[in-house]
């Protein structure tokens, strides 16, 4: 597992025009520090946890809970902890430094700030600059998680100009296979806005996908499903923290409040549907649906596989075919999973030999 991810809340201090999980100030519920610590204690008995991530919603609406949990995780040996935020706490330089200093003291090692046209309608660029400056001054690693679309005004150059220097691009470092240990502490990553969630029906899809350089990036296995431990604030696990509607029941599993979290998590990893997504991806499920009913329509292309995933589980007809196909696919997927696990075990043994 890559990380333990707490979806601290779906509550947010702003309501962006475009939001896949439909977060807003009116949403309720959150993972308090006691619950996060309890889940961590149970999970670490069977799974090594190298990284803890807090996301939302806006997780820093519950900053003290995050700090209490982080202090405990730090005492248990967790060395890397990340907060994904909209940066609202950078309203003044003083508040930015105070907030970040407190988070760093508790054990937070990295901040991700979501930036794009939709967030910046509510969060001024000067607020983001204060947050960036605080990260630089206090030596806290920062990634600007930037999203773009065809009509975007907020671009990478916006932040280069805001700071007066060019920010290192994460994609350049990944493309050149530069080790993470050599990454600069301030970086930006630009990706396409995925047309899922609030107001997605107003989007002209052809305009959104025409300039994508990799037209097939939405095809193939999903590299996010069953790769992390995702804990929702509703008391259950999620197979991924992908950009799909939080109200889709297929994307929640178990009852953590009334069962052993580790046992429940292991059960989730054997769910046929999640293995189908992990091993063949939404595009594989799409192809299966086409074999069952060639008359069902799909778009010619998608910005990313989360967009197709949302379509599959929002459409009652597609959903029913998926449900009926689970028994048919179970044995085939079990063999694929065994093959995958076998290859991974061999790979790990090779790594152990190298070390």
């Amino acid at each position: 597992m890559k990380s333990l991810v707490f979806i601290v809340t779906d509550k947010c201090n702003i309501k962006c025009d475009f939001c896949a999980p439909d977060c807003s100030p009116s949403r309720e519920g959150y993972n308090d520090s006691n619950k996060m610590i309890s889940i961590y204690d149970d999970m670490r008995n069977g799974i090594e946890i190298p990284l803890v991530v807090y996301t939302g919603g806006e997780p820093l609406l519950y900053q003290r809970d995050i700090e209490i949990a982080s202090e405990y995780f730090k005492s248990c040996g967790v060395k890397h902890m990340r907060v994904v935020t909209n940066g609202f706490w950078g309203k003044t330089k003083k508040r930015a430094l105070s907030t970040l200093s407190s988070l760093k003291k508790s054990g937070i090692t990295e901040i991700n700030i979501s930036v794009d046209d939709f967030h910046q309608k509510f969060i001024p660029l000067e607020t983001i600059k204060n947050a960036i400056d605080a990260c630089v001054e206090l030596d806290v690693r920062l990634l600007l998680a930037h999203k773009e679309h065809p009509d975007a005004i907020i671009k990478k150059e916006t932040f280069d100009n805001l700071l007066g220097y060019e920010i290192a691009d994460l994609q350049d470092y990944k493309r050149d296979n530069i080790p993470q240990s050599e990454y600069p502490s301030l970086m930006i990553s630009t990706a396409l806005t995925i047309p899922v969630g609030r107001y997605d029906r107003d989007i002209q899809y052809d305009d959104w996908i025409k300039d994508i350089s990799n037209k097939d990036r939405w095809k193939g296995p999903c590299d996010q499903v069953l790769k992390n431990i995702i804990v929702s604030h509703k008391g259950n696990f999620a197979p991924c923290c992908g950009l799909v509607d939080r109200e889709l029941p297929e994307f929640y599993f178990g009852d953590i409040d009334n069962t052993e979290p580790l046992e429940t998590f292991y059960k989730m990893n054997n769910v046929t549907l999640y293995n189908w997504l992990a091993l063949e991806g939404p595009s594989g499920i799409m192809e299966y649906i086409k074999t069952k009913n060639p008359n069902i329509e799909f778009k010619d292309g998608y910005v990313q596989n989360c967009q197709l995933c949302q379509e599959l589980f929002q459409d009652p007809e597609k959903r029913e075919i998926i449900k009926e196909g689970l028994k048919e696919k179970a044995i085939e997927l079990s063999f694929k999973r065994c093959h995958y696990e076998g290859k991974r075990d061999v790979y790990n043994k090779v790594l152990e030999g190298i070390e």
Side-chain angles (χ1 to χ4, degrees):
M1 290 293 145
K2 296 177 182 177
S3 60
L4 171 58
V5 180
F6 290 106
I7 301 176
V8 177
T9 182
D10 284 338
K11 189 180 186 70
C12 189
N13 58 308
I14 60 177
K15 185 175 181 178
C16 294
D17 292 339
F18 195 89
C19 181
D22 199 26
C23 300
S24 74
S26 64
R27 300 298 292 269
E28 299 294 338
Y30 71 103
N31 276 318
D32 64 26
S33 57
N34 290 331
K35 180 184 284 188
M36 291 189 283
I37 289 170
S38 176
I39 292 170
Y40 168 81
D41 276 341
D42 193 75
M43 298 304 293
R44 69 174 171 144
N45 288 327
I47 300 174
E48 182 181 358
I49 299 173
L51 168 67
V52 172
V53 180
Y54 304 98
T55 187
E58 175 48 60
L60 290 181
L61 293 176
Y62 302 97
Q63 180 178 340
R64 190 60 193 136
D65 284 279
I66 288 174
E67 290 174 348
I68 292 170
S70 297
E71 288 166 0
Y72 179 76
F73 302 153
K74 182 181 178 180
S75 72
C76 295
V78 178
K79 295 181 179 179
H80 303 287
M81 286 179 268
R82 176 190 305 150
V83 175
V84 182
T85 172
N86 62 33
F88 75 98
W89 41 272
K91 191 170 183 179
T92 66
K93 292 181 179 180
K94 182 179 179 180
R95 183 178 178 186
L97 285 168
S98 174
T99 299
L100 197 62
S101 178
S102 185
L103 288 169
K104 181 179 180 179
K105 184 179 178 181
S106 73
I108 298 300
T109 57
E110 180 183 339
I111 300 292
N112 286 183
I113 300 180
S114 302
V115 290
D116 52 47
D117 285 37
F118 306 109
H119 286 87
Q120 268 48 80
K121 181 177 178 180
F122 300 93
I123 310 291
L125 287 172
E126 189 61 30
T127 296
I128 301 301
K129 185 179 186 301
N130 290 337
I132 295 172
D133 289 344
C135 286
V136 172
E137 182 174 336
L138 296 175
D139 193 26
V140 174
R141 184 173 293 277
L142 170 63
L143 176 69
L144 295 176
H146 174 235
K147 292 291 190 290
E148 242 182 17
H149 58 86
D151 302 319
I153 297 172
I154 303 293
K155 299 180 180 293
K156 178 186 181 298
E157 293 75 19
T158 304
F159 299 98
D160 293 339
N161 295 332
L162 181 69
L163 298 178
Y165 56 85
E166 186 174 358
I167 306 173
D169 192 323
L170 176 61
Q171 303 309 320
D172 292 341
Y173 281 73
K174 285 186 173 182
R175 184 185 61 246
D176 296 337
N177 295 315
I178 296 174
Q180 289 190 20
S181 59
E182 298 179 18
Y183 284 11
S185 57
L186 170 59
M187 305 189 83
I188 189 169
S189 174
T190 296
L192 294 167
T193 301
I194 303 169
V196 167
R198 220 158 33 219
Y199 304 149
D200 67 331
R201 292 174 181 81
D202 297 335
I203 292 168
Q204 299 299 317
Y205 289 106
D206 291 342
D207 293 338
W208 279 54
I209 68 173
K210 67 181 179 182
D211 295 327
I212 298 176
S213 57
N214 182 1
K215 301 290 186 184
D216 295 329
R217 66 191 302 270
W218 56 276
K219 297 180 179 179
C222 180
D223 61 1
Q224 295 300 313
V225 171
L226 301 182
K227 297 298 191 298
N228 300 286
I229 305 165
I230 316 293
V231 182
S232 90
H233 67 86
K234 297 179 179 180
N236 39 37
F237 287 111
C240 67
C241 53
L243 299 177
V244 293
D245 190 334
R246 293 271 208 265
E247 300 307 316
L248 293 176
E250 287 86 352
F251 288 87
Y252 291 102
F253 182 86
D255 179 4
I256 299 174
D257 295 335
N258 297 299
T259 60
E260 294 294 329
L262 184 60
E263 180 183 345
T264 302
F265 179 76
Y266 283 145
K267 288 180 180 178
M268 184 183 76
N269 272 264
N270 291 320
V271 171
T272 300
L273 175 61
Y274 302 153
N275 279 274
W276 198 355
L277 286 166
L279 296 167
E280 297 185 3
S283 60
I285 296 178
M286 178 186 75
E287 294 302 325
Y288 175 84
I289 291 173
K290 286 180 178 179
T291 66
K292 297 301 178 181
N293 187 345
N295 295 320
I296 291 183
E297 295 184 354
F298 289 90
K299 297 177 179 64
D300 293 332
Y302 296 87
V303 172
Q304 201 249 25
N305 55 4
C306 290
Q307 181 189 357
L308 173 56
C309 205
Q310 174 85 5
E311 180 179 315
L312 292 174
F313 294 99
Q314 267 194 334
D315 185 314
E317 188 175 12
K318 294 169 185 173
R319 206 174 191 169
E320 186 61 29
I321 293 176
I322 294 170
K323 182 179 178 181
E324 293 176 354
L326 291 175
K327 288 185 179 180
E328 180 182 335
K329 294 287 294 187
I331 294 177
E332 175 192 344
L333 291 168
S334 295
F335 278 118
K336 282 190 175 183
R337 175 72 181 265
C338 289
H339 179 67
Y340 171 81
E341 296 286 355
K343 287 175 65 178
R344 185 174 63 181
D345 288 345
V346 170
Y347 176 72
N348 288 336
K349 288 177 181 178
V350 169
L351 286 183
E352 290 173 5
I354 293 173
E355 294 171 354

